Amino acid sequence: MGGSTAIRARRVITPGGERPATVLIRDGLIVSLADYAAAPPGAVTVADGDVLLPGLVDSHVHVNEPGRTDWEGFATATAAAAAGGVTTIVDMPLNSIPPTVTVAALKEKQAAAAGQLTVDVAFWGGAVPGNVADLRPLHDAGVAGFKCFLLPSGVDEFPPLDAAQLVAAMTAIARFGGLLIAHAEDPAVIGAAPPAQGRRYAGFLASRPPDAEARAIGTLLAAARQTGCRTHVVHVSAAAALPVIRAAQAEGLPVTAETCPHYLALRAEDVPDGGTQFKCCPPIRDEANQAGLWAGLLDGTIGCVVSDHSPCPPAAKRLVTGDGQRGDFGAAWGGIASVQLGLPVLWTEAARRGIGLDQIAGWMAAAPARLAGLGGRGAIAPGQRADFCVFAPDESFAVAEGMLRQRHPVTPYLGRRLRGVVRETWLAGRPIDPGQRAGQLVTPGPAAATRAEHSRSPDD
């Protein structure tokens, strides 16, 4: 990370808007922004038409290692992130074995990551029944906050919180100023809906109605009101839930929300029967609902767009194949793997709505960094990390299996033409070379401190 360098572009996305600039870098940090023409000898020049974005921060990634590394591991997940312009990911506490619900489990995950990281990695902890006493130690050990479920998570080792357990966890977290992030779907609403089964996508969609989200978010916000705990709602898919979030924010409750590229780009009308590669929980909904989500982004009710990268082996998706698989939405794993594709997916949809890259950078870099407490990341400004994405916004490509760096090339985007190509990703002032393992483990704080034992050392 040592030494000085510079990169200049005619289009640089800064907190103040887009401008031509030379970004001066020393020891992995941005020192200053100078005029484009003031580049020192040896500066890297970004091609005209390409854009220098801040490195993206994806605060919702399921790496699954250790324990389910055959689903996804640190090497493949971080390589996919780098290929998508993402320079920091925050790993979710479930789907790995053990889940990150104790300090000992966090240390296992940190050890598993050593030597494998292409980009930087931080961790969420988990709030599950019986681990209230573990929450403060996990916070002190450097997790960004605590994930919980209000209904079964899909894996037995990460059970949900009931109403009393939710209040107990939030009370404990509020005492040390921590953050709770929640998968909010109401189990009673889903229990009363027809069960998911078979090939029909309409049947799966009916099994997880919008009211399940709206009601669960109401429960969550009542607990936030009671405890004062900072609260974040993950992967909002139902526009019907936005009024209750908006009202809570207007009331002054410390509540934020995110959504995902697949909810903003894919529509229920386009999901084929048997197309289990589209299955995620909560589900992809219809076009009118999608318009509501975009409106929620633009009015600030939703602040972040993150991947919810949740991969699995092809067999777990029950894909329609020639070997007897049936595309059963009831049996298939729910999750979409897209950490590599989030930026072009979102830009494809945003560009046709007249939304600029400055807003994209806010939703995909600055806001997720702020949510996870990763100070010094997510913006091109003096004092920030020199993490960048060099992006060609006017080029396009068709998604093909061979380009995907995730462990398994299962995605609903295969064959889809997307707008915007990630040319290069820079980490701490240097472009990432193929196969490079320069990523570090990071912990929340004003400058998002890196751990000494970085990686060069010997749906949910």
Side-chain angles (χ1 to χ4, degrees), residues 22-343:
T22 296
V23 184
L24 302 174
I25 302 159
R26 183 179 303 118
D27 296 332
L29 298 176
I30 297 171
V31 176
S32 63
L33 271 63
D35 291 341
Y36 179 85
V44 174
T45 299
V46 172
D48 286 354
D50 290 358
V51 180
L52 189 66
L53 292 166
L56 306 184
V57 177
D58 192 336
S59 57
H60 197 144
V61 176
H62 295 268
V63 174
N64 305 340
E65 184 175 4
R68 290 190 175 96
T69 311
D70 57 325
W71 292 27
E72 184 72 288
F74 285 104
T76 47
T78 59
V86 177
T87 51
T88 307
I89 66 171
V90 191
D91 172 63
M92 283 289 164
L94 70 156
N95 299 346
S96 56
I97 302 174
T100 316
V101 295
T102 65
V103 172
L106 174 64
K107 289 180 178 178
E108 283 193 50
K109 187 163 279 194
Q110 291 167 334
Q116 298 204 70
L117 306 182
T118 304
V119 301
D120 289 352
V121 175
F123 298 100
W124 296 108
V128 297
N131 86 323
V132 168
D134 295 293
L135 300 178
R136 181 60 190 256
L138 277 165
H139 171 79
D140 293 344
V143 300
F146 301 92
K147 171 76 174 288
C148 76
F149 277 72
L150 303 188
L151 81 172
S153 69
V155 292
D156 292 341
E157 63 274 4
F158 201 95
L161 300 178
D162 65 23
Q165 292 163 342
L166 176 66
V167 169
M170 294 177 77
T171 299
I173 293 166
R175 287 195 185 107
F176 52 80
L179 171 70
L180 180 92
I181 68 173
H183 180 130
E185 289 180 283
D186 187 275
V189 173
I190 289 178
Q197 58 185 354
R199 292 171 44 85
R200 292 185 65 248
Y201 186 70
F204 172 64
L205 192 58
S207 76
R208 302 187 90 101
D211 189 49
E213 285 186 74
R215 189 169 299 186
I217 291 170
T219 298
L220 183 67
L221 297 181
R225 190 174 291 108
Q226 178 180 345
T227 63
C229 183
R230 289 192 298 127
T231 305
H232 179 75
V233 187
V234 301
H235 53 48
V236 175
S237 82
L242 295 181
V244 68
I245 298 173
R246 190 176 293 118
Q249 292 169 339
E251 180 187 335
L253 284 183
V255 57
T256 53
E258 70 185 38
T259 192
C260 305
H262 42 274
Y263 300 130
L264 298 166
L266 303 175
R267 308 177 308 165
E269 294 91 334
D270 300 327
V271 179
D273 288 344
T276 50
Q277 66 271 31
F278 289 83
K279 180 181 177 182
C280 55
C281 300
I284 294 161
R285 304 190 189 275
D286 63 23
E287 184 174 17
N289 179 84
Q290 185 181 90
L293 293 178
W294 276 103
L297 264 175
L298 291 171
D299 72 15
T301 305
I302 300 171
C304 304
V305 181
V306 292
S307 69
D308 190 9
H309 179 75
S310 185
C312 67
K317 273 293 188 185
R318 305 295 197 271
L319 298 170
V320 176
T321 66
D323 61 2
Q325 300 283 9
R326 294 183 173 273
D328 185 333
F329 279 100
W333 175 258
I336 289 177
S338 62
V339 68
Q340 181 174 339
L341 299 174
L343 175 58

Side-chain angles (χ1 to χ4, degrees), residues 361-383:
W363 295 331
M364 299 190 79
R370 188 165 53 248
L371 172 74
L374 298 175
R377 294 169 194 254
I380 299 177

Side-chain angles (χ1 to χ4, degrees), residues 341-355:
L341 299 174
L343 175 58
V345 167
L346 190 63
W347 175 237
T348 300
E349 298 302 312
R352 68 186 186 88
R353 289 173 167 81
I355 296 169

